[in-house]
Amino acid sequence: MNRITLTVNGVRHFVDVEDETLLLDVLRDTAGTTSVREGCGVGACGACTVLAGGTSVSSCLALAVRYDGAELTTAEGLDENDDVVSSFVDCNAAQCGYCIPGFLLMSRELLSENPHPTGQEITDHLEGNICRCGTYPEIHRAVAAAAERRAIR
Amino acid sequence: MPFLHRPTTLAEAVDLLSILDNAMVYGGGTAIQILVKQGILHADNFVDLALVPGLRDIEAGPQGVRVGPMVSLRRMETDERVRATVPLAAAAYHHVANPRVRNTASVGGNIAHGDYRLDPPTALLVLGATVEATSVRGTREIPVREFFTGFQQTALEPDELVSAIRIPAQPAGSGHRFEKNSSLGENDWPCASAAVLVTGHEVHIGLGAVAPTPRHVTFDARGLDDQQAVDAALEAAEPALDPIPDVRGGVAYKRALARVTIEDAVRAAWKEHRNG
Amino acid sequence: MKLASEFSVPAAPEKVFPLFFDPETMRGCIPGCERLVREDEQTYRGTLVNEIAHVRFSAGFAAVISSVTDQPDGKAVAAVLSGEDRRLGSSIKIDARLTVRPDGEGDSSGDSSVVGYEMDMALWGKLGRLGEPIIRRRSREVELEFAKALAAACGAPLDRVEAMDSAAKPAGGGTLRRLAGARPAATAPAAGQRDPVVELAVATQRLAVVATAVSLVSLLVAVFRRGR
Amino acid sequence: MAELREGWVGGRRARFDTAGRVRGLVSHVGDQPVGAGAHVAVHRSTQPHARIGAVHTADALAMPGVYAVVTGAELHKQLGDRLFTGPAFADQPALAYEKVRYVGEPVAAVLAADLATARAAADAVYVDYEELPPVYDLADALTGTAFVHEELKPSAVFGDLRHLHGVRDTNVNYTYRLRHGDAQAARDAGAHTVTGEFWAPPTHHVPIELPCTIAWVDAGRLEMLTTTQTPSYVRQTISDLLGLPLSRVRVTTRPLGGSFGAKMYDRLEPLAAALAWTTGRKVRIVASREEAFLLTTRHGAAVTSSLTADGEGNLVSAIADVRYDTGAYADVGPRITGKSGMVAPGPYRIANASVLSRCVYTNKPSAGPFRGFGVPQVTWSHESLIDELAHELGEDPYAFRRRHLLREGDEAPMGTRMHSADFVGCLDAVANAIDWFSPLDRGTGRIRRGRGVAVGVKAVLTPTIANAVLQFNQDASATLLISTIDMGQGSDTIMAQVAADVLRMDSTRIHVVRADTDATPYDTITAGSRSTYHTGNAVRRVAEAMRDKLIGLAADRFGVPASDVELTEAGLRGGGQVVPVTELILGHFGARGATLTTEANYTSKWVPYDKETGRSAKVTEHWFAGAVGVELAVDTATGRVRIEHLAVAGDVGKAINPRLVEQQLTGAAIMGIGHALFDQLVLDQGQLINGTLLDYQLPSVRDLPGRLTPIIVESPHDDGPFGAKGVGETGILGVAPAVANAVRDAIGVRITRLPLTPESIVTALEGNA
């Protein structure tokens, strides 16, 4: 058993975890951030995406002990007025919505690295996330719209 | 899951590898976690390199880059020095899986996996990279061209870990191209990939997914025009094509796709070399 | 999954056949075969154990002969093999057909046989989910191991056994004639042509190749040991 | 005012709680804690067809944290043959009993303190099997002598299956026959016949939310929270399984993270209920992704068919032999076989038609409902055939279709008339969108371009039942109780729009209660695109009843006849007076927070198929009509298809919310692109070999067409709520054939097996060369 500290959306959690405990389970069961979801268990769908220090991670493949001391952001941690969140909402970029928190965080990561992505760059960055409802056109538009909003500010 | 050891020095890490039963190096952990979940990985011990200092360093100079094993694939595609010194490698790393996997997966783990479908080995073969393998017995250098010994088998001994990869700088004026073709979804594993480097006198080709191991072929390009270069490339590559049939395609299709991939990559690299 | 191939053994069929009477020889030829006994006329049981890269794989298996056929140029036998690895939650079942005939081409001295096999292999459970590419790839390596062991058991000179290895290098063609993907031909049991001695011999041989296929399973487990 | 109208019928208001969905704040079944409950893992069969011998559970039971290991035999001892459930046949046991019928079938269930322990213990169970001959495919099943089930066991629900009871020595569990005229004679006499052997492989829904069921016993009642599209059905099944009155079973739900047919009928629920009931423990079962692949699939289907024209190009004969591979358990396969078999000739005026449609057992994971309910598989056949016939006659494939499409009032081959099914409008719309008649740069080198269209027809599930209860609150908000499940399609939103339109109120003030069989009324299922029409009608009626009630109260208050009172945005108006709704109800009850309640029902009726001809004067309540147009490029070297423009049109009668309708059309089209190009379950001798998302192919953002154009066609239905019909499936019907027709146009090769992988295209080109 290992005692680790995780800062999730600004709140510090002190958690006892086994070696094999996955970050996904800590986020859901201890931090209560249930926007982080298991969809495939093999890092292929992106529903379990979390930002660790701003970098996207598949929490279903990540050992929690390795994130001791990390600053984690989940979709719950983003403000409703955040440019990316509001662009997703305005572009109607959610149907069932189950996968959308993952897309949201990938989009955040992209725009923080590349404030003016091309359409191809948006596609490249979202390639590893699956939306089975087929909301890709709206999501794509939302990321472009968020970039524009940020540029205006 | 096996017992997780978290050494804080390289010496401690190789000590652990030498004394533990059924030990496996835990790098980025992406491939390992998948196998753990599938219930078919039966290592008893993991030696996690995350806490060992210095393994995330990228050193760059005019001769090339030296990359620590825990450098993420993502950094290989985004690091300006890597992009400037070995752009073909940066291009190949860029094509692995998706950004999230590339954030986590490590350069050392990627090559040690030895999988025939991975993208980076194609570029490393072409560029003549060297793997530094470290154990309690010391450090030895393994040319990447001698590293892949069989289907998911490498020249690493069980007690060795990849302590660095050295990639010589791409020659000035060379042309390069990484091409990847999937056969099902666009974002699927490659069905054929090719990294090509065209220098003043020779062409190097690294091939992924077209044989049980990543393959390297080269030929003398002096005096050839672009079509002759393509023909020579296909002729040189022919003996290396030994695809494994699976749901992504039969042998005949995979060979055909490999040839198209090689041709496209050689043409593009050739053009860049000529224009460069 | 269908697997088919044939390989040459540097010994005449008359020399190869008697070896199949000897379970001890077969046990030595089949990669990972620890036990091999004949239970009755049609049924054989064995155990495959493999320790490669620290992984210990253990599967009990049974083989049941379904037909033996004399053909103009050799012998053919069909058998069904099934095995199970409980720890890995996996079962295997193979419908297989094996042929042995004199090698008409190549060796001018005539002391050469061609062993051919066609297998329809079902792999169920955890290992079955892994898909076929790994098994297909492994089948070549296991086949080579078996062929070399068989050649050695035939008393082939060491240099010829080693030569098989180099000849079998990828894309080499030569000794290993890969016919992966070929469909097995129908085998009609030929009544009245049965020769108990030959039957046993060929059956055991059949068993050997079938068992070779089972040992693929152990080898592919080993594959994952090396994954990083 | 304009904002108010955005929330009424025809308005484009956003879904409920889009902001919450985006940030992941909508909670799902898997998010609910189970406290001290048991986590369940399942030990699965490693044989495709075998008799179960001993089930060895001692090792598993000895593991710390394991509470119990339960086998099918133990459940059967307690529940008897009630253990077998299913929507059409009572053939599927919650845990295998006596026999296993597919690789991966649940054989034993482990209850443990945590999921990891449960899974480890499930691995430690082992089973002795006596192998039985397996039935791997349709050919084995139809010609062989091995049978998946000893005898057919139709469920008690359907009278039309009763004659199948106890039938033995067959793998065909249901046969539908359509005979209209003499199709064979017409074919023999016809001038031009095209034929084909078509194959659409099994596929999987892969909703990203994994199936999860939590069940517990509360005061002698079985309660559950589950991921299902069919809470009313599940309640009935659990009631039958446990022998309890319906009042002692409660099924509750949360919004689904996608489903597409995957989470309906008997999935995890019978096992969860049986375990909770027999052990007394609260149990939670969640399927891993690999397990979810085994719970249900889309039917692989083979269609052998022909289409014949006479010398003038009139369609004179359509013949189809359709075989649906339903796997080890029938599930709803027999219904699919009938409903989809009857439209196998396509939406055309055809003088003679003959269809044989069969539902066939094999030793594979069971197949059930999937967006389109078996129709995409027959659309694949009829839209390829008519395209090929047009080519054969030298006619334009668009114009040839258009000439023969069924029009309003036409009787289709199966005997039912067309109404609110504007095939021509849909076809014209997609043809215009992709500039069908403009010159196309076909390419000369490696890249070749082509265009294709396809039309789809589907009948809505009939007969079905919908109920609605409305509570109008004194503060002029409302609570709508229906059992429709919102799984992304936006039903909660559009049902509120229907009610708000009738009640002239703000739709965001209407709360739609999540299905809970203790509270929300019976509704057949949320599936088959039926909810907008059926539940929408119930909602419209319940709102109208409420409007009448409010008008009645106002009439009393004003002292005028009800006919003189009108409900408006401002309140009730009549006799020169206006009273706000809030004041009216306050005045009526003399209490703040009081509620008025109304209820309503909508039930659709049908005329059963004629036993001899398979025809019916009213086989369905209404039709879905859709069309797809595609322009694409084929890389003839790699075989890869790039869709440059895909237009998808659907006749929805009337779009309650055009924004959501467009999203349903594009979402279905994207799913259809996967089916057209790469999406399939690969089984090798009964073993699924691509059952992880590392191998199974789903469309990603990279697979999007260059342009994707959804088009709403509105041909109002006389009986639909405001003329509306559903749309969830319309967009998917024609995608695969439209792509194949465009590939045919581009490279001159007709491919009849899905998916159109690059390998299949390269191989076909080589075969053609």
Side-chain angles (χ1 to χ4, degrees):
Chain A
M1 197 64 91
N2 315 271
R3 165 63 59 99
I4 61 169
T5 307
L6 296 176
T7 304
V8 183
N9 301 328
V11 179
R12 278 215 288 174
H13 296 266
F14 305 97
V15 199
D16 291 324
V17 298
E18 305 284 352
D19 285 353
E20 66 265 32
T21 304
L22 297 173
L23 186 58
L24 169 72
D25 295 323
V26 177
L27 287 168
R28 288 182 61 83
D29 299 342
T30 305
T33 48
T34 52
S35 72
V36 185
R37 294 155 176 161
E38 175 163 333
C40 68
V42 292
C45 78
C48 70
T49 301
V50 58
L51 297 182
T55 299
S56 63
V57 172
S58 290
S59 65
C60 75
L61 296 179
L63 294 182
V65 287
R66 284 190 146 196
Y67 291 83
D68 188 14
E71 294 267 350
L72 304 173
T73 304
T74 70
E76 289 100 332
L78 301 188
D79 189 88
E80 202 164 314
N81 299 315
D82 175 275
D83 288 329
V84 185
V85 173
S86 63
S87 294
F88 268 64
V89 172
D90 293 348
C91 293
N92 204 29
Q95 295 190 52
C96 80
Y98 202 78
C99 65
I100 297 300
F103 277 97
L104 189 74
L105 295 173
M106 293 306 293
S107 304
R108 279 278 297 212
E109 180 188 44
L110 170 65
L111 294 179
S112 65
E113 293 174 356
N114 178 1
H116 307 291
T118 63
Q120 187 58 50
E121 285 168 338
I122 295 172
T123 298
D124 286 351
H125 207 79
L126 301 179
E127 67 182 343
N129 288 60
I130 298 295
C131 172
R132 196 56 169 145
C133 296
T135 320
Y136 300 121
E138 293 88 344
I139 293 168
H140 208 278
R141 282 198 285 275
V143 179
E148 277 174 34
R149 281 180 199 195
R150 289 185 164 197
I152 291 165
R153 296 243 165 107
Chain B
M1 197 185 85
F3 195 83
L4 185 71
H5 302 268
R6 310 200 75 204
T8 53
T9 66
L10 191 59
E12 196 188 337
V14 294
D15 268 350
L16 285 167
L17 283 178
S18 72
I19 57 176
L20 293 172
D21 287 335
N22 302 343
M24 183 177 283
V25 176
Y26 198 98
T30 48
I32 284 182
Q33 278 300 333
I34 290 168
L35 297 171
V36 166
K37 288 182 179 205
Q38 290 180 338
I40 50 171
L41 185 88
H42 292 288
D44 295 326
N45 293 282
F46 285 146
V47 177
D48 177 4
L49 300 186
L51 302 180
V52 177
L55 301 187
R56 290 191 164 80
D57 294 345
I58 297 177
E59 298 160 30
Q63 303 306 309
V65 295
R66 181 179 183 279
V67 183
M70 291 299 282
V71 169
S72 72
L73 307 191
R74 195 87 202 294
R75 276 182 66 208
M76 294 299 285
E77 68 176 298
T78 56
D79 185 281
E80 285 306 326
R81 297 165 299 167
V82 175
R83 291 166 67 103
T85 315
V86 284
L88 178 60
Y93 280 105
H94 169 70
H95 278 86
V96 176
N98 62 59
R100 221 171 27 256
V101 168
R102 298 199 294 275
N103 279 334
T104 308
S106 65
V107 163
N110 181 265
I111 197 165
H113 190 181
D115 191 78
Y116 66 114
R117 295 186 295 189
L118 295 171
D119 303 316
T122 62
L124 299 177
L125 285 166
V126 163
L127 295 170
T130 306
V131 175
E132 288 183 15
T134 300
S135 68
V136 288
R137 291 168 281 118
T139 297
R140 64 180 178 126
E141 299 198 345
I142 310 171
V144 168
R145 291 171 191 171
E146 295 164 19
F147 188 75
F148 302 106
T149 56
F151 181 79
Q152 293 191 340
Q153 287 177 339
T154 70
L156 285 180
E157 296 296 329
D159 66 342
E160 284 182 319
L161 57 78
V162 175
S163 49
I165 296 178
R166 288 194 320 195
I167 315 172
Q170 248 169 264
S174 60
H176 75 268
R177 181 72 161 206
F178 178 77
E179 280 284 334
K180 174 171 173 172
N181 278 303
S182 61
S183 64
L184 300 173
E186 289 273 10
N187 196 36
D188 187 28
W189 288 94
C191 191
S193 61
V196 172
L197 183 74
V198 179
T199 67
H201 54 281
E202 59 189 0
V203 173
H204 286 273
I205 304 174
L207 296 169
V210 302
T213 59
R215 292 283 163 88
H216 169 247
V217 296
T218 186
F219 60 91
D220 190 332
R222 280 171 294 194
L224 302 182
D225 66 18
D226 62 341
Q227 184 57 48
Q228 288 167 329
V230 167
D231 294 342
L234 293 175
E235 193 187 330
E238 191 58 31
L241 302 183
D242 182 23
I244 306 172
D246 63 8
V247 295
R248 292 176 172 85
V251 170
Y253 175 71
K254 286 188 170 188
R255 292 180 75 93
L257 190 65
R259 293 170 64 86
V260 174
T261 309
I262 292 165
E263 174 167 352
D264 287 353
V266 169
R267 270 193 208 289
W270 191 266
K271 193 172 165 191
E272 188 185 80
H273 170 60
R274 293 289 294 274
N275 298 344
Chain C
M1 182 186 322
K2 295 187 194 310
L3 294 169
S5 183
E6 57 183 34
F7 54 86
S8 299
V9 182
E14 308 84 63
K15 197 166 183 183
V16 174
F17 286 153
L19 290 171
F20 293 114
F21 292 99
D22 179 18
E24 281 301 303
T25 305
M26 279 300 101
R27 196 165 57 77
C29 290
I30 301 167
C33 185
E34 275 205 345
R35 195 173 63 89
L36 186 62
V37 295
R38 180 182 185 213
E39 202 157 83
D40 61 41
E41 194 87 354
Q42 266 85 40
T43 312
Y44 301 79
R45 288 192 190 279
T47 310
L48 280 166
V49 175
N50 248 305
E51 275 197 65
I52 300 168
H54 321 299
V55 170
R56 190 177 173 85
F57 166 88
S58 176
F61 67 93
V64 180
I65 308 302
S66 47
S67 75
V68 177
T69 319
D70 270 326
Q71 296 182 320
D73 60 345
K75 303 274 185 194
V77 64
V80 176
L81 180 138
S82 45
E84 183 185 8
D85 183 317
R86 286 174 177 166
R87 191 172 59 84
L88 289 174
S90 302
S91 301
I92 188 168
K93 185 179 176 193
I94 300 165
D95 286 292
R97 183 172 179 273
L98 181 93
T99 56
V100 186
R101 58 179 162 82
D103 194 351
E105 60 183 75
D107 219 294
S108 54
S109 57
D111 63 345
S112 188
S113 308
V114 175
V115 179
Y117 67 83
E118 294 165 343
M119 291 191 273
D120 200 353
M121 177 159 76
L123 192 53
W124 297 308
K126 268 185 198 171
L127 293 172
R129 300 196 304 249
L130 299 177
E132 56 179 320
I134 291 165
I135 294 166
R136 283 202 191 279
R137 175 58 201 162
R138 279 304 183 187
S139 71
R140 299 184 195 171
E141 295 175 3
V142 171
E143 177 188 290
L144 179 61
E145 273 187 67
F146 178 77
K148 284 172 68 179
L150 186 61
C154 291
L158 194 61
D159 58 330
R160 289 191 61 179
V161 174
E162 292 304 323
M164 293 175 70
D165 200 6
S166 56
K169 281 275 192 270
T175 303
L176 267 189
R177 305 168 194 192
R178 287 188 293 272
L179 303 168
R183 299 184 76 85
T187 308
Q193 294 189 335
R194 292 195 169 191
D195 171 345
V197 177
V198 171
E199 182 174 340
L200 174 61
V202 183
T204 313
Q205 184 181 21
R206 165 62 249 154
L207 179 60
V209 176
V210 167
T212 302
V214 174
S215 71
L216 298 178
V217 176
S218 60
L219 282 160
L220 74 92
V221 173
V223 165
F224 288 98
R225 273 289 310 163
R226 301 190 65 86
R228 294 294 199 274
Chain D
M1 185 57 219
E3 202 170 312
L4 202 60
R5 288 187 180 277
E6 274 297 278
W8 292 354
V9 170
R12 298 178 67 91
R13 66 158 281 193
R15 275 186 187 74
F16 270 113
D17 201 19
T18 299
R21 285 172 201 265
V22 166
R23 294 171 62 223
L25 303 180
V26 174
S27 83
H28 298 273
V29 171
D31 301 338
Q32 310 306 311
V34 289
H39 294 262
V40 177
V42 169
H43 176 84
R44 296 179 178 280
S45 165
T46 57
Q47 291 288 328
H49 194 195
R51 207 162 289 290
I52 299 171
V55 180
H56 303 273
T57 60
D59 293 352
L61 275 168
M63 294 171 72
V66 172
Y67 302 144
V69 182
V70 179
T71 64
E74 285 160 20
L75 289 182
H76 191 265
K77 207 176 291 171
Q78 300 194 51
L79 302 172
D81 280 348
R82 298 199 313 255
L83 185 61
F84 294 89
T85 64
F89 283 74
D91 59 358
Q92 182 162 19
L95 289 173
Y97 175 62
E98 293 186 338
K99 266 175 75 168
V100 291
R101 294 184 177 86
Y102 67 94
V103 177
E105 178 164 12
V107 176
V110 176
L111 283 67
D114 60 80
L115 187 55
T117 301
R119 286 185 172 158
D123 283 348
V125 172
Y126 63 93
V127 181
D128 297 335
Y129 293 107
E130 180 195 328
E131 288 181 33
L132 296 169
V135 179
Y136 289 133
D137 54 32
L138 289 167
D140 285 354
L142 292 170
T143 60
T145 54
F147 302 105
V148 179
H149 291 268
E150 283 72 23
E151 59 176 56
L152 302 184
K153 292 199 281 189
S155 81
V157 184
F158 298 106
D160 64 312
L161 301 177
R162 206 173 295 138
H163 65 287
L164 296 170
H165 189 82
V167 170
R168 301 179 70 91
D169 297 339
T170 181
N171 289 310
V172 177
N173 59 47
Y174 185 75
T175 303
Y176 166 83
R177 281 191 183 81
L178 172 65
R179 287 196 198 92
H180 176 51
D182 190 338
Q184 188 59 50
R187 174 178 157 166
D188 293 344
H192 303 277
T193 293
V194 291
T195 63
E197 295 273 345
F198 297 93
W199 170 248
T203 62
H204 201 270
H205 321 61
V206 199
I208 301 301
E209 180 199 28
L210 292 163
C212 182
T213 301
I214 304 165
W216 62 97
V217 179
D218 186 300
R221 304 173 79 225
L222 191 289
E223 302 199 6
M224 70 166 50
L225 173 63
T226 186
T227 51
T228 186
Q229 298 175 232
T230 56
S232 301
Y233 170 89
V234 169
R235 179 166 78 146
Q236 182 67 59
T237 289
I238 302 308
S239 162
D240 292 342
L241 174 75
L242 302 180
L244 296 174
L246 289 170
S247 59
R248 282 175 62 192
V249 178
R250 180 188 184 193
V251 177
T252 60
T253 64
R254 311 287 303 173
L256 297 178
S259 186
F260 318 107
K263 298 163 184 165
M264 53 190 284
Y265 301 132
D266 308 285
R267 297 292 165 255
L268 302 173
E269 292 87 355
L271 178 59
L275 294 175
W277 191 252
T278 57
T279 69
R281 283 185 186 272
K282 184 175 197 172
V283 298
R284 177 185 195 264
I285 312 181
V286 62
S288 69
R289 177 56 64 194
E290 291 189 32
E291 291 177 309
F293 273 105
L294 302 171
L295 286 175
T296 185
T297 64
R298 181 172 100 163
H299 289 80
V303 185
T304 306
S305 51
S306 69
L307 188 63
T308 302
D310 65 14
E312 285 79 53
N314 300 306
L315 300 179
V316 293
S317 167
I319 299 176
D321 176 4
V322 188
R323 288 91 73 200
Y324 287 100
D325 183 344
T326 204
Y329 298 105
D331 198 89
V332 79
R335 286 279 163 267
I336 287 173
T337 301
K339 288 279 174 201
S340 300
M342 75 184 184
V343 294
Y348 301 103
R349 294 165 166 165
I350 307 174
N352 303 279
S354 167
V355 175
L356 170 64
S357 183
R358 286 173 286 177
C359 187
V360 183
Y361 282 127
T362 57
N363 289 116
K364 288 188 296 210
S366 171
F370 188 132
R371 193 179 214 165
F373 209 65
V375 173
Q377 292 95 315
V378 293
T379 309
W380 172 234
S381 153
H382 68 66
E383 286 309 285
S384 297
L385 281 183
I386 194 158
D387 213 70
E388 209 48 42
L389 187 56
H391 282 288
E392 163 129 355
L393 294 169
E395 294 209 33
D396 176 86
Y398 154 79
F400 187 65
R401 279 183 179 78
R402 195 178 193 286
R403 176 143 69 98
H404 297 297
L405 281 170
L406 292 165
R407 265 66 169 183
E408 178 81 15
D410 280 354
E411 187 184 284
M414 94 297 294
T416 303
R417 290 196 184 284
M418 290 292 141
H419 165 56
S420 175
D422 190 358
F423 300 107
V424 172
C426 290
L427 178 62
D428 285 351
V430 298
N432 285 333
I434 64 167
D435 288 333
W436 180 264
F437 287 108
S438 72
L440 174 66
D441 170 13
R442 296 189 161 272
T444 49
R446 184 167 142 181
I447 306 295
R448 300 299 174 99
R449 284 196 180 70
R451 291 180 181 138
V453 291
V455 183
V457 56
K458 180 181 178 291
V460 75
L461 182 61
T462 309
T464 69
I465 300 159
N467 289 288
V469 173
L470 185 65
Q471 294 187 348
F472 198 90
N473 304 314
Q474 180 267 323
D475 68 349
S477 66
T479 308
L480 176 62
L481 292 98
I482 52 174
S483 289
T484 296
I485 305 292
D486 198 322
M487 46 198 174
Q489 82 280 40
S491 56
D492 285 0
T493 305
I494 66 139
M495 294 304 170
Q497 287 182 257
V498 169
D501 193 300
V502 172
L503 293 167
R504 307 275 100 182
M505 65 183 290
D506 176 358
S507 68
T508 65
R509 288 177 71 85
I510 300 176
H511 169 64
V512 180
V513 176
R514 286 170 180 146
D516 173 349
T517 58
D518 268 11
T520 58
Y522 179 88
D523 188 283
T524 305
I525 50 174
T526 304
S529 316
R530 66 170 283 281
S531 299
T532 300
Y533 182 96
H534 293 82
T535 312
N537 262 324
V539 169
R540 180 182 185 170
R541 287 180 178 186
V542 83
E544 286 170 349
M546 183 60 69
R547 182 188 63 198
D548 294 348
K549 204 164 195 170
L550 291 169
I551 285 172
L553 293 179
D556 290 349
R557 181 178 173 126
F558 299 152
V560 301
S563 57
D564 290 352
V565 180
E566 183 194 7
L567 176 62
T568 72
E569 294 93 296
L572 284 300
R573 189 188 299 271
Q577 304 174 69
V578 178
V579 60
V581 177
T582 50
E583 217 171 284
L584 178 72
I585 300 175
L586 185 62
H588 176 67
F589 286 111
R592 293 183 74 227
T595 58
L596 289 172
T597 303
T598 54
E599 57 97 14
N601 164 268
Y602 188 86
T603 301
S604 59
K605 295 206 162 43
W606 74 318
V607 178
Y609 314 111
D610 180 272
K611 282 193 172 58
E612 287 301 306
T613 66
R615 303 183 84 229
S616 161
K618 189 188 179 191
V619 77
T620 185
E621 180 70 16
H622 69 72
W623 297 100
F624 300 104
V628 176
V630 166
E631 182 174 316
L632 54 72
V634 180
D635 181 333
T636 54
T638 64
R640 181 164 283 286
V641 170
R642 277 303 300 174
I643 300 176
E644 295 178 337
H645 188 184
L646 188 152
V648 52
D651 179 359
V652 299
K654 164 75 184 172
I656 305 282
N657 184 326
R659 196 179 193 189
L660 301 192
V661 169
E662 287 164 2
Q663 217 165 19
Q664 283 295 300
L665 289 172
T666 56
I670 290 167
M671 188 175 272
I673 288 169
H675 291 158
L677 297 180
F678 44 71
D679 182 345
Q680 66 173 325
L681 286 165
V682 181
L683 289 113
D684 183 2
Q685 296 177 90
Q687 171 68 49
L688 178 60
I689 61 171
N690 65 344
T692 79
L693 292 200
L694 294 172
D695 292 316
Y696 195 80
Q697 307 289 309
L698 299 172
S700 77
V701 67
R702 283 200 183 284
D703 298 296
L704 282 191
R707 279 176 69 195
L708 182 51
T709 307
I711 304 163
I712 297 172
V713 173
E714 295 186 318
S715 154
H717 192 286
D718 287 348
D719 300 323
F722 302 93
K725 305 178 298 175
V727 67
E729 301 166 297
T730 310
I732 206 168
L733 305 178
V735 178
V739 170
N741 293 339
V743 167
R744 163 75 167 80
D745 187 47
I747 61 173
V749 173
R750 169 67 57 190
I751 296 173
T752 59
R753 291 178 71 85
L754 286 173
L756 305 179
T757 61
E759 182 174 25
S760 72
I761 285 173
V762 167
T763 306
L765 276 169
E766 282 167 358
N768 213 37

